[in-house]
Amino acid sequence: MVCIFMCITAIAYSQQNEKPYVILISLDGFRHDFPAMYPTPNLNAIAREGVKAKAMQPCFPTKTFPNHYSMVTGLYPDHHGIVANKFYDPASGKTFALTTAEKSDPSFYSGEPIWNVAEAQGIKTAAYFWPGSDVPVNGRYPSIWKAYNKHTTLAQRLDSVVQWLQLPPENRPHFIAIYLDQPDMAEHEFGPLSEEAKQQVILTDSLIGIFQRAINDLPVADKINLIIVSDHGLSETSKEKAVKLEDYIPSRWLEYPTTMGNPVVFLKAKETYYDSIAFAVRSIPHVKGYVSKKMPRRFHFGKNPRSLDFTIIAEAGWSIITNPPELIKKGNHGYDNREKDMWAIFYATGPAFKKGYVQQMFPNISIYPLIAYLLGIQIPPADGKLRPVRKMLK
Ligand code: AMP
Ligand code: ZN
Ligand code: ZN
């Protein structure tokens, strides 16, 4: 009896062990052109052993939460509901923000994150700070997750992941998503072309190298597919390139105060001022204004009521001063996803990927079906398709 039980358990373990591993690391704000500007020997080595994309196109708006959540749900922000890092939800009257309890309110989050899909199909998953992973979306978390703490160093996060990959097979995650908040922070503070940003690019690249050497020593090394992405790039900004919204659209025309989202702002008009705003948004210099519902198709944005009546977007490098005003720093993002400064990176290596293949730019919503393909799981219908990335696979 004992033998039968042990044999069955051993078979279950070995089947679990046979399954592939997918590790997804995001380097916040890592511009697609950084590897051409700064030394990134470890990313370059991944491109030689595996694949790299010329760029990966973020969703609009090119902000952190909408894009991280798009990668793990395969949905445009309009469809998954996280339409910005901060926004007002007219249906509930609540404001979503990264620094308040609303960030952890699952009612803001639609779609089915890839960790939920994998767990439902018997695959253990883990996440270290990936946006959405510390929220019980549809009542579930990854098997291992961490409440966000920006003070946890990048090295601590990666060290933990190496340990998770050595857990006993029954607890070991086969999908792990990791979020690193650099070089984004340095780029906001000092500008994307600053020495400080360059140093963070060099640091994050070298951490990737250290991490890769650590996982290469593990018994499961040859089953790991490692994917490195970013969520968006950054443009240089300055106090001189700023437009004061109040000069064109007085606050008294608005139903709700503008939620801070520079360089993208959503406006809800008081009924009597709708036409005045529709007229005024056309004439603001260095800003493009749209009736949200009528935005050009390429944005895949504006139908969600959270984008309110109007979506206004500053030209790359410009800022919109809202009320209350937000501090203008030396770098920012959120702009039109057609802007090259906003384009992100994609590097991948492992048994599923071709060697030395260079991929054309593709939309980041394809990450969802790509992970599902690598894990061998079925996903619900999504905006993102596998086809744009199919050629990089063996
Ligand atoms: P931004 O550059 O404005 O798009 O936002 C990036 C910021 O989001 C980073 O500096 C992080 O501190 C923050 N952030 C990233 N992940 C989380 C999370 N899971 N919870 C709360 N804040 C987060
Ligand atoms: Zn970001
Ligand atoms: Zn940022």
Side-chain angles (χ1 to χ4, degrees), residues 264-306:
V264 177
V265 182
F266 308 135
L267 303 177
K268 173 76 183 168
K270 277 190 186 147
E271 217 175 307
T272 43
Y273 290 109
Y274 184 97
D275 290 341
S276 312
I277 296 178
F279 185 74
V281 291
R282 281 189 252 144
S283 60
I284 310 176
H286 306 292
V287 161
K288 278 231 150 49
Y290 300 95
V291 171
S292 297
K293 284 199 189 76
K294 292 186 183 160
M295 286 181 75
R297 223 187 96 72
R298 66 181 184 81
F299 284 104
H300 299 281
F301 192 82
K303 304 278 191 297
N304 192 305
R306 294 171 184 173

mmCIF file of all heavy atoms in Angstrom, residues 264-306:
data_model
loop_
_atom_site.group_PDB
_atom_site.id
_atom_site.type_symbol
_atom_site.label_atom_id
_atom_site.label_comp_id
_atom_site.label_asym_id
_atom_site.label_seq_id
_atom_site.Cartn_x
_atom_site.Cartn_y
_atom_site.Cartn_z
ATOM 1 N N VAL A 264 -1.477 62.265 -19.828
ATOM 2 C CA VAL A 264 -2.787 61.886 -20.374
ATOM 3 C C VAL A 264 -3.832 62.256 -19.331
ATOM 4 O O VAL A 264 -3.679 61.923 -18.155
ATOM 5 C CB VAL A 264 -2.865 60.363 -20.631
ATOM 6 C CG1 VAL A 264 -4.251 59.971 -21.121
ATOM 7 C CG2 VAL A 264 -1.825 59.944 -21.645
ATOM 8 N N VAL A 265 -4.864 62.953 -19.757
ATOM 9 C CA VAL A 265 -5.887 63.367 -18.798
ATOM 10 C C VAL A 265 -7.271 63.026 -19.362
ATOM 11 O O VAL A 265 -7.518 63.207 -20.552
ATOM 12 C CB VAL A 265 -5.789 64.893 -18.525
ATOM 13 C CG1 VAL A 265 -6.816 65.325 -17.495
ATOM 14 C CG2 VAL A 265 -4.394 65.264 -18.046
ATOM 15 N N PHE A 266 -8.118 62.490 -18.509
ATOM 16 C CA PHE A 266 -9.507 62.211 -18.896
ATOM 17 C C PHE A 266 -10.387 63.312 -18.289
ATOM 18 O O PHE A 266 -10.205 63.670 -17.118
ATOM 19 C CB PHE A 266 -9.969 60.849 -18.352
ATOM 20 C CG PHE A 266 -9.044 59.712 -18.690
ATOM 21 C CD1 PHE A 266 -8.686 58.775 -17.722
ATOM 22 C CD2 PHE A 266 -8.531 59.561 -19.978
ATOM 23 C CE1 PHE A 266 -7.828 57.718 -18.032
ATOM 24 C CE2 PHE A 266 -7.683 58.510 -20.294
ATOM 25 C CZ PHE A 266 -7.329 57.600 -19.313
ATOM 26 N N LEU A 267 -11.341 63.797 -19.092
ATOM 27 C CA LEU A 267 -12.210 64.876 -18.609
ATOM 28 C C LEU A 267 -13.676 64.478 -18.700
ATOM 29 O O LEU A 267 -14.106 63.898 -19.699
ATOM 30 C CB LEU A 267 -12.018 66.133 -19.475
ATOM 31 C CG LEU A 267 -10.611 66.715 -19.584
ATOM 32 C CD1 LEU A 267 -10.622 67.907 -20.546
ATOM 33 C CD2 LEU A 267 -10.104 67.150 -18.216
ATOM 34 N N LYS A 268 -14.434 64.805 -17.668
ATOM 35 C CA LYS A 268 -15.888 64.630 -17.697
ATOM 36 C C LYS A 268 -16.505 66.026 -17.684
ATOM 37 O O LYS A 268 -16.285 66.796 -16.743
ATOM 38 C CB LYS A 268 -16.322 63.810 -16.472
ATOM 39 C CG LYS A 268 -17.820 63.695 -16.299
ATOM 40 C CD LYS A 268 -18.409 62.718 -17.280
ATOM 41 C CE LYS A 268 -19.919 62.672 -17.145
ATOM 42 N NZ LYS A 268 -20.536 61.942 -18.263
ATOM 43 N N ALA A 269 -17.270 66.347 -18.743
ATOM 44 C CA ALA A 269 -17.842 67.695 -18.871
ATOM 45 C C ALA A 269 -19.123 67.824 -18.069
ATOM 46 O O ALA A 269 -19.914 66.884 -17.989
ATOM 47 C CB ALA A 269 -18.148 67.962 -20.340
ATOM 48 N N LYS A 270 -19.330 69.003 -17.498
ATOM 49 C CA LYS A 270 -20.681 69.337 -17.016
ATOM 50 C C LYS A 270 -21.515 69.460 -18.274
ATOM 51 O O LYS A 270 -21.045 70.022 -19.285
ATOM 52 C CB LYS A 270 -20.653 70.665 -16.259
ATOM 53 C CG LYS A 270 -20.227 70.514 -14.824
ATOM 54 C CD LYS A 270 -20.463 71.809 -14.061
ATOM 55 C CE LYS A 270 -19.904 71.678 -12.669
ATOM 56 N NZ LYS A 270 -19.389 72.934 -12.148
ATOM 57 N N GLU A 271 -22.750 68.966 -18.228
ATOM 58 C CA GLU A 271 -23.537 68.853 -19.457
ATOM 59 C C GLU A 271 -23.546 70.141 -20.302
ATOM 60 O O GLU A 271 -23.327 70.099 -21.512
ATOM 61 C CB GLU A 271 -24.957 68.425 -19.107
ATOM 62 C CG GLU A 271 -25.513 67.473 -20.144
ATOM 63 C CD GLU A 271 -26.880 66.973 -19.711
ATOM 64 O OE1 GLU A 271 -26.971 66.472 -18.579
ATOM 65 O OE2 GLU A 271 -27.816 67.112 -20.504
ATOM 66 N N THR A 272 -23.742 71.257 -19.617
ATOM 67 C CA THR A 272 -23.855 72.518 -20.378
ATOM 68 C C THR A 272 -22.525 72.944 -21.018
ATOM 69 O O THR A 272 -22.515 73.819 -21.880
ATOM 70 C CB THR A 272 -24.340 73.654 -19.453
ATOM 71 O OG1 THR A 272 -23.638 73.537 -18.215
ATOM 72 C CG2 THR A 272 -25.829 73.587 -19.211
ATOM 73 N N TYR A 273 -21.428 72.368 -20.569
ATOM 74 C CA TYR A 273 -20.127 72.773 -21.116
ATOM 75 C C TYR A 273 -19.525 71.751 -22.073
ATOM 76 O O TYR A 273 -18.411 71.926 -22.545
ATOM 77 C CB TYR A 273 -19.135 73.054 -19.973
ATOM 78 C CG TYR A 273 -19.484 74.300 -19.197
ATOM 79 C CD1 TYR A 273 -19.976 74.213 -17.893
ATOM 80 C CD2 TYR A 273 -19.333 75.561 -19.774
ATOM 81 C CE1 TYR A 273 -20.312 75.355 -17.184
ATOM 82 C CE2 TYR A 273 -19.667 76.709 -19.066
ATOM 83 C CZ TYR A 273 -20.156 76.599 -17.767
ATOM 84 O OH TYR A 273 -20.476 77.733 -17.087
ATOM 85 N N TYR A 274 -20.272 70.673 -22.363
ATOM 86 C CA TYR A 274 -19.728 69.614 -23.221
ATOM 87 C C TYR A 274 -19.222 70.200 -24.544
ATOM 88 O O TYR A 274 -18.084 69.953 -24.954
ATOM 89 C CB TYR A 274 -20.791 68.527 -23.479
ATOM 90 C CG TYR A 274 -20.262 67.358 -24.273
ATOM 91 C CD1 TYR A 274 -19.818 66.192 -23.642
ATOM 92 C CD2 TYR A 274 -20.185 67.413 -25.674
ATOM 93 C CE1 TYR A 274 -19.316 65.126 -24.369
ATOM 94 C CE2 TYR A 274 -19.682 66.354 -26.406
ATOM 95 C CZ TYR A 274 -19.256 65.210 -25.758
ATOM 96 O OH TYR A 274 -18.749 64.155 -26.484
ATOM 97 N N ASP A 275 -20.056 71.003 -25.210
ATOM 98 C CA ASP A 275 -19.673 71.543 -26.521
ATOM 99 C C ASP A 275 -18.493 72.508 -26.406
ATOM 100 O O ASP A 275 -17.618 72.533 -27.275
ATOM 101 C CB ASP A 275 -20.864 72.261 -27.172
ATOM 102 C CG ASP A 275 -21.934 71.257 -27.592
ATOM 103 O OD1 ASP A 275 -21.601 70.058 -27.713
ATOM 104 O OD2 ASP A 275 -23.097 71.669 -27.773
ATOM 105 N N SER A 276 -18.470 73.265 -25.326
ATOM 106 C CA SER A 276 -17.350 74.212 -25.135
ATOM 107 C C SER A 276 -16.041 73.439 -25.012
ATOM 108 O O SER A 276 -15.013 73.830 -25.584
ATOM 109 C CB SER A 276 -17.535 75.040 -23.862
ATOM 110 O OG SER A 276 -18.831 75.550 -23.810
ATOM 111 N N ILE A 277 -16.091 72.331 -24.258
ATOM 112 C CA ILE A 277 -14.854 71.543 -24.092
ATOM 113 C C ILE A 277 -14.484 70.891 -25.423
ATOM 114 O O ILE A 277 -13.322 70.912 -25.837
ATOM 115 C CB ILE A 277 -15.022 70.486 -22.976
ATOM 116 C CG1 ILE A 277 -15.240 71.187 -21.633
ATOM 117 C CG2 ILE A 277 -13.776 69.595 -22.901
ATOM 118 C CD1 ILE A 277 -15.463 70.253 -20.457
ATOM 119 N N ALA A 278 -15.500 70.329 -26.116
ATOM 120 C CA ALA A 278 -15.231 69.679 -27.406
ATOM 121 C C ALA A 278 -14.527 70.652 -28.352
ATOM 122 O O ALA A 278 -13.629 70.281 -29.102
ATOM 123 C CB ALA A 278 -16.530 69.169 -28.020
ATOM 124 N N PHE A 279 -14.922 71.919 -28.295
ATOM 125 C CA PHE A 279 -14.309 72.941 -29.139
ATOM 126 C C PHE A 279 -12.908 73.291 -28.618
ATOM 127 O O PHE A 279 -11.943 73.337 -29.369
ATOM 128 C CB PHE A 279 -15.210 74.176 -29.161
ATOM 129 C CG PHE A 279 -14.729 75.231 -30.097
ATOM 130 C CD1 PHE A 279 -14.854 75.075 -31.472
ATOM 131 C CD2 PHE A 279 -14.122 76.382 -29.600
ATOM 132 C CE1 PHE A 279 -14.380 76.049 -32.339
ATOM 133 C CE2 PHE A 279 -13.647 77.360 -30.464
ATOM 134 C CZ PHE A 279 -13.776 77.190 -31.841
ATOM 135 N N ALA A 280 -12.808 73.475 -27.301
ATOM 136 C CA ALA A 280 -11.543 73.932 -26.707
ATOM 137 C C ALA A 280 -10.422 72.896 -26.856
ATOM 138 O O ALA A 280 -9.271 73.281 -27.091
ATOM 139 C CB ALA A 280 -11.754 74.259 -25.230
ATOM 140 N N VAL A 281 -10.738 71.622 -26.743
ATOM 141 C CA VAL A 281 -9.645 70.619 -26.772
ATOM 142 C C VAL A 281 -8.932 70.600 -28.128
ATOM 143 O O VAL A 281 -7.811 70.132 -28.232
ATOM 144 C CB VAL A 281 -10.097 69.172 -26.427
ATOM 145 C CG1 VAL A 281 -10.498 69.036 -24.979
ATOM 146 C CG2 VAL A 281 -11.177 68.666 -27.367
ATOM 147 N N ARG A 282 -9.597 71.142 -29.151
ATOM 148 C CA ARG A 282 -8.983 71.133 -30.484
ATOM 149 C C ARG A 282 -7.903 72.192 -30.624
ATOM 150 O O ARG A 282 -7.088 72.141 -31.530
ATOM 151 C CB ARG A 282 -10.053 71.356 -31.552
ATOM 152 C CG ARG A 282 -10.832 70.073 -31.826
ATOM 153 C CD ARG A 282 -11.736 70.260 -33.036
ATOM 154 N NE ARG A 282 -13.116 70.332 -32.623
ATOM 155 C CZ ARG A 282 -14.037 71.108 -33.187
ATOM 156 N NH1 ARG A 282 -13.719 71.910 -34.167
ATOM 157 N NH2 ARG A 282 -15.275 71.084 -32.759
ATOM 158 N N SER A 283 -7.917 73.156 -29.715
ATOM 159 C CA SER A 283 -6.996 74.280 -29.923
ATOM 160 C C SER A 283 -5.904 74.395 -28.862
ATOM 161 O O SER A 283 -5.223 75.404 -28.774
ATOM 162 C CB SER A 283 -7.810 75.578 -29.956
ATOM 163 O OG SER A 283 -8.480 75.708 -28.722
ATOM 164 N N ILE A 284 -5.727 73.359 -28.046
ATOM 165 C CA ILE A 284 -4.680 73.450 -27.015
ATOM 166 C C ILE A 284 -3.334 73.123 -27.682
ATOM 167 O O ILE A 284 -3.199 72.060 -28.288
ATOM 168 C CB ILE A 284 -4.939 72.475 -25.843
ATOM 169 C CG1 ILE A 284 -6.384 72.620 -25.326
ATOM 170 C CG2 ILE A 284 -3.935 72.686 -24.720
ATOM 171 C CD1 ILE A 284 -6.759 71.616 -24.237
ATOM 172 N N PRO A 285 -2.355 74.043 -27.585
ATOM 173 C CA PRO A 285 -1.075 73.749 -28.247
ATOM 174 C C PRO A 285 -0.358 72.562 -27.602
ATOM 175 O O PRO A 285 -0.449 72.365 -26.389
ATOM 176 C CB PRO A 285 -0.266 75.043 -28.047
ATOM 177 C CG PRO A 285 -0.910 75.734 -26.894
ATOM 178 C CD PRO A 285 -2.353 75.329 -26.869
ATOM 179 N N HIS A 286 0.326 71.778 -28.421
ATOM 180 C CA HIS A 286 1.133 70.633 -27.970
ATOM 181 C C HIS A 286 0.320 69.534 -27.284
ATOM 182 O O HIS A 286 0.861 68.720 -26.541
ATOM 183 C CB HIS A 286 2.281 71.080 -27.046
ATOM 184 C CG HIS A 286 3.130 72.127 -27.678
ATOM 185 N ND1 HIS A 286 3.940 71.869 -28.757
ATOM 186 C CD2 HIS A 286 3.249 73.450 -27.421
ATOM 187 C CE1 HIS A 286 4.538 72.971 -29.128
ATOM 188 N NE2 HIS A 286 4.130 73.957 -28.342
ATOM 189 N N VAL A 287 -0.968 69.558 -27.529
ATOM 190 C CA VAL A 287 -1.850 68.560 -26.915
ATOM 191 C C VAL A 287 -2.842 68.090 -27.980
ATOM 192 O O VAL A 287 -3.312 68.892 -28.786
ATOM 193 C CB VAL A 287 -2.614 69.207 -25.715
ATOM 194 C CG1 VAL A 287 -3.838 68.406 -25.352
ATOM 195 C CG2 VAL A 287 -1.697 69.374 -24.507
ATOM 196 N N LYS A 288 -3.127 66.793 -27.986
ATOM 197 C CA LYS A 288 -4.177 66.283 -28.882
ATOM 198 C C LYS A 288 -5.374 65.916 -28.017
ATOM 199 O O LYS A 288 -5.220 65.244 -26.983
ATOM 200 C CB LYS A 288 -3.694 65.013 -29.589
ATOM 201 C CG LYS A 288 -2.832 65.277 -30.807
ATOM 202 C CD LYS A 288 -3.373 64.486 -32.001
ATOM 203 C CE LYS A 288 -3.105 65.148 -33.334
ATOM 204 N NZ LYS A 288 -1.721 65.565 -33.515
ATOM 205 N N GLY A 289 -6.545 66.385 -28.421
ATOM 206 C CA GLY A 289 -7.746 66.078 -27.638
ATOM 207 C C GLY A 289 -8.708 65.245 -28.452
ATOM 208 O O GLY A 289 -8.884 65.491 -29.653
ATOM 209 N N TYR A 290 -9.303 64.262 -27.834
ATOM 210 C CA TYR A 290 -10.257 63.397 -28.521
ATOM 211 C C TYR A 290 -11.519 63.235 -27.692
ATOM 212 O O TYR A 290 -11.448 63.220 -26.455
ATOM 213 C CB TYR A 290 -9.675 61.980 -28.700
ATOM 214 C CG TYR A 290 -8.395 61.914 -29.499
ATOM 215 C CD1 TYR A 290 -7.158 61.905 -28.841
ATOM 216 C CD2 TYR A 290 -8.415 61.839 -30.888
ATOM 217 C CE1 TYR A 290 -5.976 61.822 -29.562
ATOM 218 C CE2 TYR A 290 -7.237 61.756 -31.615
ATOM 219 C CZ TYR A 290 -6.008 61.760 -30.946
ATOM 220 O OH TYR A 290 -4.853 61.675 -31.664
ATOM 221 N N VAL A 291 -12.647 63.078 -28.384
ATOM 222 C CA VAL A 291 -13.828 62.548 -27.703
ATOM 223 C C VAL A 291 -13.467 61.085 -27.451
ATOM 224 O O VAL A 291 -13.139 60.356 -28.392
ATOM 225 C CB VAL A 291 -15.078 62.653 -28.611
ATOM 226 C CG1 VAL A 291 -16.256 61.906 -28.002
ATOM 227 C CG2 VAL A 291 -15.412 64.112 -28.859
ATOM 228 N N SER A 292 -13.462 60.655 -26.181
ATOM 229 C CA SER A 292 -12.907 59.324 -25.867
ATOM 230 C C SER A 292 -13.494 58.232 -26.759
ATOM 231 O O SER A 292 -12.762 57.406 -27.314
ATOM 232 C CB SER A 292 -13.138 58.987 -24.387
ATOM 233 O OG SER A 292 -12.451 59.920 -23.580
ATOM 234 N N LYS A 293 -14.810 58.234 -26.906
ATOM 235 C CA LYS A 293 -15.466 57.158 -27.668
ATOM 236 C C LYS A 293 -15.113 57.165 -29.143
ATOM 237 O O LYS A 293 -15.337 56.191 -29.832
ATOM 238 C CB LYS A 293 -16.997 57.291 -27.535
ATOM 239 C CG LYS A 293 -17.538 56.839 -26.201
ATOM 240 C CD LYS A 293 -19.044 56.551 -26.342
ATOM 241 C CE LYS A 293 -19.678 56.298 -24.997
ATOM 242 N NZ LYS A 293 -19.885 57.549 -24.222
ATOM 243 N N LYS A 294 -14.568 58.298 -29.616
ATOM 244 C CA LYS A 294 -14.284 58.406 -31.058
ATOM 245 C C LYS A 294 -12.785 58.451 -31.336
ATOM 246 O O LYS A 294 -12.369 58.979 -32.377
ATOM 247 C CB LYS A 294 -14.963 59.651 -31.626
ATOM 248 C CG LYS A 294 -16.472 59.541 -31.616
ATOM 249 C CD LYS A 294 -17.087 60.715 -32.324
ATOM 250 C CE LYS A 294 -18.591 60.631 -32.254
ATOM 251 N NZ LYS A 294 -19.213 61.937 -32.497
ATOM 252 N N MET A 295 -11.982 57.910 -30.450
ATOM 253 C CA MET A 295 -10.535 57.927 -30.703
ATOM 254 C C MET A 295 -10.213 57.044 -31.899
ATOM 255 O O MET A 295 -10.885 56.028 -32.114
ATOM 256 C CB MET A 295 -9.779 57.443 -29.463
ATOM 257 C CG MET A 295 -9.771 58.489 -28.382
ATOM 258 S SD MET A 295 -8.876 57.975 -26.942
ATOM 259 C CE MET A 295 -7.178 58.138 -27.481
ATOM 260 N N PRO A 296 -9.171 57.405 -32.671
ATOM 261 C CA PRO A 296 -8.800 56.553 -33.802
ATOM 262 C C PRO A 296 -8.592 55.097 -33.344
ATOM 263 O O PRO A 296 -8.115 54.851 -32.234
ATOM 264 C CB PRO A 296 -7.482 57.165 -34.288
ATOM 265 C CG PRO A 296 -7.527 58.586 -33.836
ATOM 266 C CD PRO A 296 -8.322 58.594 -32.556
ATOM 267 N N ARG A 297 -8.959 54.159 -34.230
ATOM 268 C CA ARG A 297 -8.965 52.740 -33.894
ATOM 269 C C ARG A 297 -7.624 52.229 -33.367
ATOM 270 O O ARG A 297 -7.567 51.374 -32.498
ATOM 271 C CB ARG A 297 -9.364 51.931 -35.130
ATOM 272 C CG ARG A 297 -10.335 50.832 -34.848
ATOM 273 C CD ARG A 297 -10.552 49.971 -36.073
ATOM 274 N NE ARG A 297 -9.704 48.774 -36.082
ATOM 275 C CZ ARG A 297 -9.888 47.737 -35.281
ATOM 276 N NH1 ARG A 297 -10.855 47.726 -34.404
ATOM 277 N NH2 ARG A 297 -9.084 46.698 -35.340
ATOM 278 N N ARG A 298 -6.540 52.830 -33.904
ATOM 279 C CA ARG A 298 -5.210 52.317 -33.535
ATOM 280 C C ARG A 298 -4.925 52.414 -32.030
ATOM 281 O O ARG A 298 -4.079 51.712 -31.516
ATOM 282 C CB ARG A 298 -4.117 53.036 -34.327
ATOM 283 C CG ARG A 298 -3.995 54.503 -34.000
ATOM 284 C CD ARG A 298 -2.915 55.181 -34.832
ATOM 285 N NE ARG A 298 -2.770 56.552 -34.423
ATOM 286 C CZ ARG A 298 -2.064 56.952 -33.362
ATOM 287 N NH1 ARG A 298 -1.412 56.065 -32.641
ATOM 288 N NH2 ARG A 298 -2.005 58.225 -33.043
ATOM 289 N N PHE A 299 -5.633 53.302 -31.334
ATOM 290 C CA PHE A 299 -5.422 53.415 -29.882
ATOM 291 C C PHE A 299 -6.064 52.248 -29.116
ATOM 292 O O PHE A 299 -5.675 51.962 -27.993
ATOM 293 C CB PHE A 299 -6.019 54.721 -29.342
ATOM 294 C CG PHE A 299 -5.210 55.951 -29.644
ATOM 295 C CD1 PHE A 299 -5.610 56.831 -30.632
ATOM 296 C CD2 PHE A 299 -4.068 56.238 -28.915
ATOM 297 C CE1 PHE A 299 -4.875 57.977 -30.900
ATOM 298 C CE2 PHE A 299 -3.322 57.384 -29.174
ATOM 299 C CZ PHE A 299 -3.727 58.257 -30.183
ATOM 300 N N HIS A 300 -7.080 51.626 -29.716
ATOM 301 C CA HIS A 300 -7.863 50.587 -29.023
ATOM 302 C C HIS A 300 -8.265 51.092 -27.639
ATOM 303 O O HIS A 300 -8.100 50.415 -26.624
ATOM 304 C CB HIS A 300 -7.072 49.273 -28.906
ATOM 305 C CG HIS A 300 -6.720 48.709 -30.239
ATOM 306 N ND1 HIS A 300 -7.623 48.017 -31.013
ATOM 307 C CD2 HIS A 300 -5.579 48.766 -30.955
ATOM 308 C CE1 HIS A 300 -7.048 47.660 -32.146
ATOM 309 N NE2 HIS A 300 -5.805 48.111 -32.146
ATOM 310 N N PHE A 301 -8.737 52.292 -27.599
ATOM 311 C CA PHE A 301 -8.974 52.952 -26.316
ATOM 312 C C PHE A 301 -10.120 53.942 -26.433
ATOM 313 O O PHE A 301 -10.327 54.529 -27.491
ATOM 314 C CB PHE A 301 -7.700 53.704 -25.883
ATOM 315 C CG PHE A 301 -7.738 54.183 -24.462
ATOM 316 C CD1 PHE A 301 -7.426 53.318 -23.425
ATOM 317 C CD2 PHE A 301 -8.129 55.486 -24.155
ATOM 318 C CE1 PHE A 301 -7.487 53.750 -22.106
ATOM 319 C CE2 PHE A 301 -8.192 55.917 -22.835
ATOM 320 C CZ PHE A 301 -7.865 55.047 -21.810
ATOM 321 N N GLY A 302 -10.861 54.132 -25.334
ATOM 322 C CA GLY A 302 -11.847 55.215 -25.263
ATOM 323 C C GLY A 302 -13.285 54.755 -25.085
ATOM 324 O O GLY A 302 -14.154 55.561 -24.811
ATOM 325 N N LYS A 303 -13.514 53.450 -25.237
ATOM 326 C CA LYS A 303 -14.899 52.961 -25.087
ATOM 327 C C LYS A 303 -15.233 52.678 -23.613
ATOM 328 O O LYS A 303 -16.388 52.621 -23.220
ATOM 329 C CB LYS A 303 -15.119 51.676 -25.897
ATOM 330 C CG LYS A 303 -14.788 51.785 -27.383
ATOM 331 C CD LYS A 303 -15.938 52.404 -28.149
ATOM 332 C CE LYS A 303 -15.758 52.297 -29.658
ATOM 333 N NZ LYS A 303 -14.568 53.026 -30.164
ATOM 334 N N ASN A 304 -14.200 52.470 -22.794
ATOM 335 C CA ASN A 304 -14.436 52.208 -21.377
ATOM 336 C C ASN A 304 -14.903 53.504 -20.694
ATOM 337 O O ASN A 304 -14.263 54.545 -20.856
ATOM 338 C CB ASN A 304 -13.147 51.701 -20.724
ATOM 339 C CG ASN A 304 -13.386 51.138 -19.342
ATOM 340 O OD1 ASN A 304 -13.946 51.811 -18.482
ATOM 341 N ND2 ASN A 304 -12.976 49.901 -19.127
ATOM 342 N N PRO A 305 -16.021 53.457 -19.948
ATOM 343 C CA PRO A 305 -16.526 54.692 -19.310
ATOM 344 C C PRO A 305 -15.493 55.370 -18.409
ATOM 345 O O PRO A 305 -15.605 56.568 -18.131
ATOM 346 C CB PRO A 305 -17.711 54.203 -18.468
ATOM 347 C CG PRO A 305 -18.058 52.852 -18.991
ATOM 348 C CD PRO A 305 -16.839 52.276 -19.656
ATOM 349 N N ARG A 306 -14.471 54.622 -17.978
ATOM 350 C CA ARG A 306 -13.441 55.230 -17.117
ATOM 351 C C ARG A 306 -12.582 56.254 -17.866
ATOM 352 O O ARG A 306 -11.857 57.018 -17.237
ATOM 353 C CB ARG A 306 -12.559 54.141 -16.503
ATOM 354 C CG ARG A 306 -13.342 53.276 -15.544
ATOM 355 C CD ARG A 306 -12.574 52.061 -15.089
ATOM 356 N NE ARG A 306 -13.409 51.227 -14.238
ATOM 357 C CZ ARG A 306 -13.070 50.032 -13.798
ATOM 358 N NH1 ARG A 306 -11.893 49.518 -14.110
ATOM 359 N NH2 ARG A 306 -13.885 49.347 -13.033
#
